[in-house]
Amino acid sequence: QQKGYFDAGRKKQQPKYIKKIALVTASKSAALQDMLKIIEKRWQLLEVVVIDTLVQGNRSAPQIAEALEYADTLGCDAIVVGRGGGSKEDLWAFNEEVVADAIFKLNTFVVSAVGHEVDVQISDFVADLRAPTPSAAMEMILPDQNEILYTLSEMENRYTRVVKQIVGNKEQTLNAFSQEFSRHSVSRKVSMIEKEFDNLKDEFKRVMEYKISQFEVKTIPLTQQLKESFEYALQVKMQMRNSIEEKIKLYDPKLKSKEGWAEVVVDGKRQPLSSIKKEERFVLVDIDTKLEVLCLKKEKL
């Protein structure tokens, strides 16, 4: 205590992110395997240097001190010295002055992790940090990579939202300037006139289509009436035609000749038979015969 081994003011601050660490312990110990498992789980980016040493027995204290001095030259961010649980005699090396003095002189942040929770050694008080077990030492000084990844992901999302918001605001400002500029530009005015003309053209088209549809609705009855009148007139004309054809057939000499009729012709002109006088000459003509006749006698029927 007179040397200041336990002075809290001289203890070094724990590094936040440890990149390289030295583990001073027995290379074949369960404590080393426990620490390596925690390292694999929590912080795989860590560079690990294992410095093998005896951790119990009469020769262990000088070896531990020598291993600590060597570890201090490796440029590590932290040194962990320790071992698993055991009897008081097994752990006694960590109470030796040579070990305490070596820890005291280290320039590197050092953690004492000896035995179990109930085991307390002088090295625990001299070191910058005491851990109840070797595994606990790893959990105390190493960050959790899963938490780091989660934090980084949250930061990325937060910064992404901030950047998007900033970009969005700048885009809105730019669009506002662009719209303001376009309102005063010639092309904008021409475009507005063209759009207004297109609207008027569309409106005119709709009005004309409506008028035509209304006209068609109104003319449908008239068209029907005209159709009926035309059909009636056609029917009357057909009846008249049929009547005329019957009359033509009735007075057609060619048809009559087939029934014994003939035309009376005087001086090349057709005359009624009643106009012929006694002793007058005339001609009888049918479809294929011509007779010169002298009227010998005339009687009225």
Side-chain angles (χ1 to χ4, degrees), residues 28-45:
K28 296 182 180 180
S29 64
L32 176 61
Q33 297 305 315
D34 291 341
M35 287 189 286
L36 293 177
K37 288 179 182 178
I38 299 300
I39 291 172
E40 179 70 20
K41 177 181 177 182
R42 291 182 67 88
W43 196 239
Q44 297 179 7
L45 299 176

Side-chain angles (χ1 to χ4, degrees), residues 28-297:
K28 296 182 180 180
S29 64
L32 176 61
Q33 297 305 315
D34 291 341
M35 287 189 286
L36 293 177
K37 288 179 182 178
I38 299 300
I39 291 172
E40 179 70 20
K41 177 181 177 182
R42 291 182 67 88
W43 196 239
Q44 297 179 7
L45 299 176
L46 185 64
E47 180 183 352
V48 180
V49 179
V50 177
I51 302 175
D52 184 30
T53 181
L54 293 174
V55 290
Q56 69 181 50
N58 295 332
R59 295 182 300 159
S60 59
Q63 282 197 20
I64 294 172
E66 185 178 349
L68 288 169
E69 292 174 0
Y70 172 68
D72 199 34
T73 65
L74 299 178
C76 296
D77 299 305
I79 299 172
V80 176
V81 57
R83 55 156 292 164
S87 65
K88 183 178 180 180
E89 290 75 14
D90 293 338
L91 306 179
W92 189 255
F94 294 92
N95 289 315
E96 295 286 351
E97 184 177 359
V98 64
V99 174
D101 192 58
I103 294 174
F104 180 77
K105 293 178 180 179
L106 292 177
N107 295 314
T108 307
F109 177 81
V110 61
V111 181
S112 175
V114 181
H116 298 298
E117 179 76 33
V118 295
D119 299 319
V120 180
Q121 317 302 324
I122 292 177
S123 62
D124 295 337
F125 296 103
V126 182
D128 298 310
L129 178 67
R130 176 194 179 252
T133 64
S135 297
M138 296 298 100
E139 293 177 347
M140 292 170 66
I141 65 174
L142 296 181
D144 187 342
Q145 60 191 10
N146 293 325
E147 292 181 359
I148 297 296
L149 291 174
Y150 176 78
T151 301
L152 291 175
S153 178
E154 286 296 306
M155 291 175 63
E156 180 184 10
N157 293 335
R158 183 166 62 252
Y159 287 131
T160 299
R161 289 193 297 268
V162 171
V163 170
K164 285 184 178 180
Q165 183 176 2
I166 293 174
V167 172
N169 292 338
K170 296 299 182 183
E171 286 182 347
Q172 290 179 358
T173 303
L174 181 61
N175 290 336
F177 280 123
S178 177
Q179 291 175 3
E180 184 67 22
F181 176 78
S182 64
R183 277 198 293 268
H184 298 285
S185 65
V186 176
S187 60
R188 168 72 175 179
K189 292 181 179 180
V190 172
S191 177
M192 291 177 63
I193 293 173
E194 290 178 347
K195 185 176 181 180
E196 184 175 356
F197 176 77
D198 291 339
N199 292 337
L200 289 174
K201 184 170 65 175
D202 294 339
E203 182 65 22
F204 176 77
K205 182 179 178 181
R206 286 194 295 270
V207 171
M208 291 304 298
E209 289 177 349
Y210 174 76
K211 293 292 185 182
I212 291 172
S213 65
Q214 291 297 106
F215 177 77
E216 289 177 348
V217 170
K218 292 180 180 179
T219 55
I220 286 176
L222 179 60
T223 303
Q224 185 66 28
Q225 292 178 4
L226 291 174
K227 180 181 178 183
E228 293 176 355
S229 299
F230 177 77
E231 290 178 349
Y232 176 76
L234 181 62
Q235 184 177 3
V236 171
K237 293 295 184 181
M238 290 295 294
Q239 290 177 353
M240 292 176 63
R241 176 177 175 275
N242 293 336
S243 176
I244 292 172
E245 286 181 349
E246 290 296 326
K247 290 181 179 180
I248 290 173
K249 289 179 181 179
L250 182 63
Y251 293 102
D252 188 352
K254 294 180 180 180
L255 296 177
K256 290 180 178 180
S257 65
K258 294 180 181 180
E259 300 175 357
W261 289 81
E263 288 184 346
V264 177
V265 178
V266 178
D267 297 330
K269 297 180 180 181
R270 189 170 57 188
Q271 300 290 338
L273 186 61
S274 60
S275 66
I276 301 301
K277 299 177 181 179
K278 185 178 178 181
E279 301 296 332
E280 184 178 2
R281 291 184 178 276
F282 60 93
V283 178
L284 290 178
V285 181
D286 65 7
I287 191 170
D288 57 3
T289 305
K290 179 179 179 182
L291 297 177
E292 292 185 3
V293 182
L294 175 64
C295 179
L296 299 177
K297 183 179 179 180

